[in-house]
């Protein structure tokens, strides 16, 4: 039989883990620091494990605490979902909202949309993380995920929305082109300094070239003078006049507008990866989830939509 004892201290534990200190958790929950400390101690005693590693200056979850935190946030999320769904049609977006964004695209494109949305909804508590790895929203307890690329087939528990495709172009700085000339054909790139994207394992990502038929692309690994493992790092290298790179337009839109970067070989521009919104279907009825999905759909304007 389920015992209500199992719920005691969970909200305090999650708040302390989110806050990173008992003092901050006490302020958020309008309790004393002693009350927070005692609640955590009782919870650890009941579970028979240490949940936090404490020092005078820091508070960090143990491995057991991390696993328990993931479970607890799922439990609290389900309780919140059950409660808010009862009056979802009339409720303001509120409460904790977990969002995971790809690193560069998230910072430059999605984050401004989310921050404007949060400023319009004072009761919303966004928790935003950045990662380029694939995550399972259900397992990781994330409400909404924005991803560059992804599968065409999604698990039944997840909803998804296609936002459009990247557009990849070749670009360089005016200073570089003045010194080295402007390429007119793809074969001209072989005599230029190419700036490519590379991974930690040493592999270099190929460049995409439009094929002879509409919608057709071919991939080639170019001899690169510079290889960088970060898109924004590539932009820095191109701005410095180091060479030519192939980059998505969302990453360099400001530089193209102000003329610090120039598109070359426009006839070879291609579509890149798809941009997708992914979320836990069972939480879509919550105002905070449905409203932010709509805001991201409207705010992230990409080619192909």
């Amino acid at each position: 039989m389920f015992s209500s004892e199992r719920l005691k201290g969970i909200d305090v534990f999650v708040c302390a883990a989110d806050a990173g200190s008992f003092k901050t958790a006490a302020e958020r929950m309008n309790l004393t620091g002693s009350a927070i400390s005692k609640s955590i101690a009782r919870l650890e005693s009941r579970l028979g494990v240490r949940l936090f590693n404490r020092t005078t200056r820091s508070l960090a979850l143990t491995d057991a605490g991390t696993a328990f935190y993931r479970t607890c946030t799922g439990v609290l999320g389900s309780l919140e979902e059950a409660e808010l769904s009862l009056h979802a049609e009339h409720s303001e977006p509120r409460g904790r909202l977990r969002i995971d964004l790809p690193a560069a695209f998230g910072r430059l494109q999605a984050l401004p949309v989310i921050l404007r949305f949060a400023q319009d909804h004072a009761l919303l508590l966004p928790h935003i993380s950045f990662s380029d790895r694939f995550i399972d929203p259900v397992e990781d307890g994330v409400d909404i995920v924005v991803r560059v690329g992804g599968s065409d087939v999604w698990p039944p528990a997840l909803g998804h929305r296609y936002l459009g495709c990247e557009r990849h172009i070749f670009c360089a700085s005016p200073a570089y082109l003045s010194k080295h000339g402007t390429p007119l054909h793809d074969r001209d790139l072989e005599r230029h300094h190419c700036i490519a994207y590379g991974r930690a394992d040493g592999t270099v990502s190929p460049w995409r070239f439009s094929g002879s038929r509409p919608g057709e692309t071919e991939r080639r690994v170019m001899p690169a003078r510079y290889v960088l493992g970060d898109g924004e790092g590539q932009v820095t290298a191109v701005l410095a006049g180091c060479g030519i790179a192939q980059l998505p337009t969302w990453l360099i839109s400001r530089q193209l507008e102000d003329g610090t970067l120039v598109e070359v070989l426009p006839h070879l521009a291609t579509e890149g990866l798809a941009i997708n919104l992914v979320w836990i279907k069972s939480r879509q009825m919550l105002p905070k989830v449905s409203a932010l999905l709509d805001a991201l759909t409207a705010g992230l304007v990409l080619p192909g939509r």
Side-chain angles (χ1 to χ4, degrees), residues 13 49 51 79 84 95 113 132 137 175 183 206 233 235 264 269 289 293-294 301:
F13 165 68
V49 296
L51 299 172
L79 289 173
L84 292 183
V113 177
D132 288 319
V235 175
V264 297
V289 174
L293 288 173
D294 291 342
V301 180

Side-chain angles (χ1 to χ4, degrees), residues 188-262:
D188 295 340
L189 291 171
E190 295 179 4
R191 61 179 178 82
H192 280 273
H193 298 166
C194 296
I195 302 171
Y197 179 87
R199 297 179 179 82
D201 62 4
T203 59
V204 177
S205 294
W207 281 0
R208 297 167 178 254
F209 293 86
S210 56
S212 56
R213 299 177 183 176
E216 184 180 68
T217 61
E218 63 171 292
R219 301 185 179 203
R220 293 183 232 159
V221 176
M222 302 295 293
R225 171 75 188 280
Y226 301 91
V227 178
L228 294 95
D230 176 76
E232 290 171 288
Q234 286 182 281
V235 175
T236 299
V238 181
L239 288 170
C242 295
I244 296 174
Q246 185 181 54
L247 296 168
T249 52
W250 59 259
L251 184 59
I252 53 173
S253 57
R254 179 176 57 80
Q255 292 84 355
L256 292 172
E257 288 176 5
D258 64 24
T260 52
L261 290 183
V262 178

Side-chain angles (χ1 to χ4, degrees), residues 7-19 21-22 25-26 29 31-43 52 59 69 76:
L7 294 176
K8 288 185 178 180
I10 285 181
D11 55 343
V12 174
F13 165 68
V14 170
C15 185
D18 287 339
S21 78
F22 288 173
M29 300 191 72
L31 295 171
T32 65
S34 175
I36 296 290
S37 180
K38 288 178 180 178
S39 178
I40 297 297
R42 286 194 295 269
L43 183 60
F52 291 104
L59 182 72
Y69 173 82
L76 294 178

Side-chain angles (χ1 to χ4, degrees), residues 18 69 96-100 125-129:
D18 287 339
Y69 173 82
R96 189 168 179 270
L97 184 62
R98 285 286 311 279
I99 308 150
D100 190 78
L125 301 172
H127 183 135
I128 305 168
S129 55

Side-chain angles (χ1 to χ4, degrees), residues 64-246:
T66 299
F68 190 59
Y69 173 82
R70 188 179 298 116
T71 300
C72 288
T73 53
V75 170
L76 294 178
S78 296
L79 289 173
E80 179 190 28
E81 178 182 335
E83 181 178 338
L84 292 183
S85 65
L86 296 177
H87 52 92
E89 293 183 0
H90 309 287
S91 179
E92 169 79 3
R94 66 177 68 204
R96 189 168 179 270
L97 184 62
R98 285 286 311 279
I99 308 150
D100 190 78
L101 305 175
F105 183 85
R107 285 194 298 270
L108 295 176
Q109 300 294 321
L111 184 59
V113 177
I114 296 170
L115 295 180
R116 287 195 298 270
F117 179 82
Q119 288 173 330
D120 290 337
H121 301 285
L123 300 178
L124 191 72
L125 301 172
H127 183 135
I128 305 168
S129 55
F130 296 86
S131 66
D132 288 319
R133 66 180 179 85
F134 175 79
I135 68 168
D136 183 333
V138 176
E139 181 178 338
D140 294 328
V142 178
D143 299 292
I144 297 175
V145 176
V146 178
R147 274 296 170 268
V148 178
S151 173
D152 292 331
V153 180
W154 301 91
L158 300 180
H160 77 279
R161 187 176 297 168
Y162 169 75
L163 298 180
C165 275
E166 301 174 307
R167 181 170 178 266
H168 280 187
I169 66 169
F170 294 98
C171 62
S173 70
Y176 175 86
L177 296 175
S178 176
K179 183 177 181 179
H180 297 276
T182 301
L184 301 177
H185 306 282
D186 57 345
R187 60 180 177 271
D188 295 340
L189 291 171
E190 295 179 4
R191 61 179 178 82
H192 280 273
H193 298 166
C194 296
I195 302 171
Y197 179 87
R199 297 179 179 82
D201 62 4
T203 59
V204 177
S205 294
W207 281 0
R208 297 167 178 254
F209 293 86
S210 56
S212 56
R213 299 177 183 176
E216 184 180 68
T217 61
E218 63 171 292
R219 301 185 179 203
R220 293 183 232 159
V221 176
M222 302 295 293
R225 171 75 188 280
Y226 301 91
V227 178
L228 294 95
D230 176 76
E232 290 171 288
Q234 286 182 281
V235 175
T236 299
V238 181
L239 288 170
C242 295
I244 296 174
Q246 185 181 54

